[in-house]
Amino acid sequence: MQIDFERAFEVIAEAMVRAAKDCSFSTASTEAERNGLIEQGDGKPSQRHVWERSEKGNTLRFQWRWYDQSKAFSIQPDMNIMSLELRQGEVILRSAEERYQD
């Protein structure tokens, strides 16, 4: 099963790079779902979205979050952060992160 998680990590990490270039998380979230990760949460609008898959002590988690960088008298683009973790229990085996502004 670990080989499947490793392959899924590679594919999703590559999709994150493309998504950052396109300034849209949807390329990465689509690839996460294609690899069996399921969106968590209650479906309400949020600044944090998580997709996850766990089997036999291994967990693959893709997360997209954003925040407003604006300050008083200064309008700035939102910062978007996509992160990916492959865990075995509590130990992080691999991680990746991509950012973009929109």
Side-chain angles (χ1 to χ4, degrees):
M1 196 57 63
Q2 182 67 23
I3 294 170
D4 186 49
F5 274 70
E6 289 283 345
R7 183 195 62 76
F9 182 95
E10 290 294 330
V11 170
I12 297 167
E14 289 173 13
M16 287 169 49
V17 171
R18 290 190 312 273
K21 287 179 183 174
D22 295 342
C23 295
S24 173
F25 76 96
S26 64
T27 302
S29 64
T30 298
E31 200 59 57
E33 290 174 353
R34 212 177 276 151
N35 280 276
L37 280 70
I38 298 170
E39 188 169 9
Q40 309 297 301
D42 57 13
K44 293 181 182 176
S46 174
Q47 288 179 288
R48 181 178 305 248
H49 298 269
V50 176
W51 290 259
E52 192 172 274
R53 175 181 169 191
S54 294
E55 291 177 19
K56 298 182 182 178
N58 296 314
T59 301
L60 188 56
R61 172 184 263 196
F62 169 68
Q63 179 175 254
W64 167 64
R65 62 190 190 278
W66 64 272
Y67 63 90
D68 185 352
Q69 300 183 98
S70 299
K71 304 206 184 314
F73 309 110
S74 171
I75 297 176
Q76 301 293 322
D78 291 338
M79 175 60 73
N80 293 263
I81 304 165
M82 296 175 288
S83 57
L84 182 63
E85 287 184 348
L86 175 57
R87 292 178 170 260
Q88 189 169 47
E90 294 299 315
V91 178
I92 298 173
L93 301 175
R94 298 181 70 185
S95 64
E97 181 177 282
E98 294 291 333
R99 295 173 178 242
Y100 64 92
Q101 297 181 60
D102 66 355

